[in-house]
Amino acid sequence: DGGITQSPKYLFRKEGQNVTLSCEQNLNHDAMYWYRQDPGQGLRLIYYSQIVNDFQKGDIAEGYSVSREKKESFPLTVTSAQKNPTAFYLCASSPGGVPSPLHFGNGTRLTVT
Amino acid sequence: AQSVTQLDSQVPVFEEAPVELRCNYSSSVSVYLFWYVQYPNQGLQLLLKYLSGSTLVESINGFEAEFNKSQTSFHLRKPSVHISDTAEYFCAVTRNSGGSNYKLTFGKGTLLTVNP
């Protein structure tokens, strides 16, 4: 079955450490996205990539970094510069081009103490 | 820039009652509109979408939404809800501005709780 895999489901880190969240898709989609979800805040776009080796900042990119070296992979690094990193992180993909719906992974819940 | 307002953060209803989840948007250009549903500790799933054509769109599980351009709204309705409809619902918009950049802007979500 095609889909998006985010791992791990739960992640715990100490303050000051960088952490990388994995996102892999086998849908052959060109575009991939990272969203952050906080209670009562909806989803906010962190970074997105429309093609391999290219990505753009979203609305809240500060303290985050990404890479897109392969079409199927779009890892997100939460750096120590992110002031409030504890959140639910969602990865999504779409075919790109026409306004196709986003396909979401099941998320990674990151807790930083 | 576009924005989305979901007017109710929580909507409690009884099973088999009708429900309406409200969504208003603002944009200086024409838009595409979506409703997504999120069950606890999961990602979002597309419920329905408006791209063009008929302003009334339906999902396979009985939800419908009507695009109202004059009121800039895209409210979600279901005539009779089930316990299994309990979830958080997100309205989203993207500008119809051509090209290939279709970033979605999401509302803050409405938690629908269906009680027995």
Side-chain angles (χ1 to χ4, degrees):
Chain A
D1 284 343
I4 298 180
T5 302
Q6 290 188 244
S7 60
K9 189 168 181 65
Y10 299 95
L11 193 52
F12 299 88
R13 282 293 184 270
K14 296 288 189 186
E15 195 172 318
Q17 294 178 334
N18 291 356
V19 58
T20 297
L21 282 60
S22 170
C23 176
E24 303 278 332
Q25 55 103 354
N26 60 5
L27 298 166
N28 199 32
H29 284 172
D30 288 319
M32 297 187 73
Y33 308 80
W34 274 105
Y35 287 90
R36 170 181 172 139
Q37 185 177 18
D38 298 282
Q41 295 297 314
L43 278 71
R44 292 180 290 170
L45 183 63
I46 305 173
Y47 268 97
Y48 65 102
S49 168
Q50 293 177 281
I51 56 171
V52 175
N53 292 323
D54 187 46
F55 49 82
Q56 288 79 40
K57 292 182 179 180
D59 301 318
I60 56 164
E62 185 175 349
Y64 299 98
S65 66
V66 294
S67 63
R68 186 84 188 277
E69 297 176 0
K70 298 186 295 183
K71 187 175 185 177
E72 58 269 25
S73 179
F74 191 41
L76 173 74
T77 297
V78 184
T79 75
S80 57
Q82 167 52 230
K83 292 183 172 52
N84 187 17
T86 294
F88 189 50
Y89 291 87
L90 287 162
C91 180
S93 72
S94 73
V98 296
S100 303
L102 297 182
H103 295 253
F104 282 86
N106 281 330
T108 292
R109 189 167 299 280
L110 173 66
T111 303
V112 177
T113 57
Chain B
Q2 68 254 17
S3 66
V4 178
T5 301
Q6 291 184 245
L7 296 159
D8 305 297
S9 60
Q10 298 186 51
V11 173
V13 295
F14 288 108
E15 194 173 17
E16 297 183 7
V19 70
E20 178 180 79
L21 306 183
R22 295 179 293 169
C23 173
N24 287 89
Y25 69 91
S26 68
S27 175
S28 57
V29 300
S30 59
V31 297
Y32 300 118
L33 293 154
F34 304 82
W35 276 100
Y36 285 83
V37 59
Q38 184 180 34
Y39 299 101
N41 294 313
Q42 292 187 23
L44 278 68
Q45 303 170 33
L46 178 70
L47 193 57
L48 45 75
K49 63 185 177 184
Y50 170 76
L51 302 182
S52 64
S54 173
T55 57
L56 184 66
V57 291
E58 299 177 353
S59 73
I60 59 173
N61 57 352
F63 283 94
E64 64 178 30
E66 186 161 19
F67 170 55
N68 188 320
K69 187 176 181 179
S70 62
Q71 297 187 6
T72 60
S73 68
F74 192 54
H75 301 330
L76 181 69
R77 303 184 183 95
K78 189 170 185 179
S80 176
V81 293
H82 302 290
I83 299 283
S84 59
D85 292 324
T86 294
E88 190 154 24
Y89 292 79
F90 292 92
C91 183
V93 63
T94 185
R95 290 161 29 136
N96 177 6
S97 56
S100 61
N101 182 0
Y102 291 107
K103 291 189 300 174
L104 287 184
T105 298
F106 286 86
K108 293 187 176 182
T110 297
L111 179 61
L112 173 64
T113 304
V114 181
N115 298 302

